Amino acid sequence: MTSARLSVLVVFFVNGAVFANWAPRIPEIQDSLSIDVATLGLALTGVGLGGLVAAPVAAATVRRFGSRWAILASGLLLCAAFVLPAVAVSWWTLLAALVLLGGADAVMDISMNAQGVLVEERAGKSLLSSFHAAWSVGAVVGGVTGAAAAGIRLPVAAHFGLVAVVLMLVLAAVGRGLVGPEPVVRDGHEDRAPGLVLARPTAALALLGAVVLLAGLMEDFPQSWSAVYMTTEEGAGPGSAGMAFVAFSAAMLIGRLVGDRIVDRFGPSTVLTGGASLVAVAFLAILGLSVLAADLPILVIGAFAVAGLGASPLFPIVFSLAGRLPGVSSAAAISIVSLVSRIGFLVAPLVVGRVVDASGFGSVLGAIAVAGVVVAVIGWYYGRRFPVDSTQDRGSR
């Protein structure tokens, strides 16, 4: 494994570990601030809001400084900002902390995917799924760490502070292995787009944006709400409440470890359709268990695992396809789909909080199942609308 590939794997790991450590501690932070689920949902929009603000300038940052330096700056800021939610004293200070966290995450997300596409193109084979698998490894490790910290009642501030220091040191250690600068010509077209606003819109990019918008909802619920759901609906304790997210992340990891081979074998659109269909089935199962009032948390955790397996290829495929669109710079195209996903991450917590407060979790579970069906249809249509999306094309890169 080359130094660049290893460095990118570690970068994705660090990014995944940050939010995974956060997820299992959300119920405790909610209790410490004495806020209801609707107010919590409002505060959680900070991640999406910060990402929404930062995403349009991320491509310009990568263009100006290169993805290597953008990764290091945003990654170190992400780790530092991770401590802030632990010391929030009200819902609006939590919101402000999450805005900064989300902004740093957006820049890191775009720059590390741009770096991943660059390394993938130099290698001449699919690598994005393995990079996102490293993100899932970070999510699993972070989720287990967060659940364990909650189980032993480690103060949230101490937990977040220790994690931040460790991840900052890891990120600094691999920075020299990242590559750059990015190429200025793609497929014969000069890359004159210094930022998001100059990237040429295409029908393909619009469809990919729709996928990440809905995929963001599928991933946000396990990350932001699964611990709350397990606590309120399944009666789980502080330690076990985080296991639904751990199961989701572990299954996502498994899917991404084999994802590159599956995509090369069957093609991106087929895998998009199959994965999204699996997410729909999983959330329908969770909905069915909630309707039946079945006190079987182990089945719910298993359904979250199935959802993680289905969701595993969605983001890697979209970022890989967007980063290779002809006539559009990699960073700018990735910025567009990332921006759309941030809109989903912004809207989802607010809507989920309001809907749960008004009518419970059932409506939300059903909506996510519908989102899975829609993404499955988009995947099917994309494969027929764009002939470049083929197994043969993937294998010949």
Side-chain angles (χ1 to χ4, degrees):
M1 179 178 295
T2 65
S3 174
R5 288 176 63 184
L6 177 60
S7 296
V8 175
L9 287 170
V10 173
V11 166
F12 273 82
F13 172 90
V14 169
N15 186 267
V18 170
F19 280 100
N21 270 280
W22 148 257
R25 308 308 296 265
I26 292 175
E28 293 170 75
I29 294 175
Q30 178 188 3
D31 289 342
S32 70
L33 299 179
S34 301
I35 56 178
D36 58 24
V37 291
T39 306
L40 175 63
L42 180 61
L44 291 177
T45 61
V47 175
L49 181 60
L52 195 64
V53 172
V57 300
T61 302
V62 173
R63 169 73 175 182
R64 174 66 179 83
F65 300 104
S67 58
R68 176 189 177 190
W69 293 110
I71 287 170
L72 291 175
S74 59
L76 293 174
L77 177 60
L78 179 71
C79 294
F82 174 57
V83 181
L84 298 180
V87 297
V89 296
S90 63
W91 74 267
W92 62 267
T93 57
L94 177 61
L95 171 67
L98 293 178
V99 167
L100 180 59
L101 196 66
D105 178 63
V107 178
M108 187 178 183
D109 179 47
I110 291 168
S111 56
M112 72 186 189
N113 275 286
Q115 176 83 185
V117 169
L118 179 61
V119 173
E120 182 181 66
E121 289 185 332
R122 292 185 178 185
K125 60 182 178 180
S126 299
L127 293 174
L128 257 291
S129 189
S130 64
F131 293 150
H132 282 258
W135 186 96
S136 295
V137 172
V140 172
V141 172
V144 170
T145 302
I152 65 174
R153 307 289 182 177
L154 181 67
V156 179
H159 167 206
F160 285 10
L162 288 171
V163 168
V165 170
V166 171
L167 293 181
M168 289 175 78
L169 292 174
V170 170
L171 190 62
V174 301
R176 296 185 64 180
L178 300 173
V179 299
E182 278 64 30
V184 296
V185 177
R186 295 180 57 82
D187 297 332
H189 297 273
E190 185 178 358
D191 176 12
R192 299 182 181 276
L196 172 64
V197 296
L198 297 181
R200 189 179 68 185
T202 65
L205 204 52
L207 288 174
L208 296 176
V211 170
V212 294
L213 179 68
L214 297 174
L217 173 63
M218 299 175 198
E219 290 197 20
D220 179 75
F221 186 87
Q223 177 176 288
S224 299
W225 294 100
S226 61
V228 177
Y229 178 82
M230 294 299 293
T231 300
T232 60
E233 302 297 314
E234 300 294 330
S240 59
M243 294 311 296
F245 175 69
V246 172
F248 179 88
S249 300
M252 182 176 285
L253 166 61
I254 293 171
R256 286 176 173 174
L257 286 173
V258 300
D260 289 323
R261 292 190 294 273
I262 293 175
V263 170
D264 282 338
R265 172 66 179 83
F266 297 102
S269 64
T270 300
V271 179
L272 276 178
T273 298
S277 299
L278 204 56
V279 173
V281 170
F283 276 93
L284 283 176
I286 299 172
L287 176 61
L289 290 171
S290 69
V291 170
L292 295 173
D295 187 18
L296 297 169
I298 188 64
L299 292 183
V300 175
I301 292 173
F304 272 104
V306 173
L309 189 63
S312 64
L314 304 185
F315 273 94
I317 287 174
V318 169
F319 280 117
S320 181
L321 290 176
R324 296 183 294 112
L325 286 176
V328 182
S329 74
S330 176
I334 290 172
S335 295
I336 292 175
V337 295
S338 180
L339 175 61
V340 175
S341 74
R342 298 290 163 175
I343 294 174
F345 283 117
L346 171 64
V347 174
L350 181 61
V351 172
V352 170
R354 295 294 180 184
V355 172
V356 170
D357 190 51
S359 59
F361 279 99
S363 299
V364 176
L365 297 172
I368 298 175
V370 171
V373 173
V374 173
V375 171
V377 172
I378 292 175
W380 172 84
Y381 176 76
Y382 192 99
R384 284 153 180 76
R385 175 66 175 81
F386 301 102
V388 68
D389 176 30
S390 66
T391 306
Q392 290 76 16
D393 177 72
R394 296 278 301 180
S396 63
R397 281 192 299 115

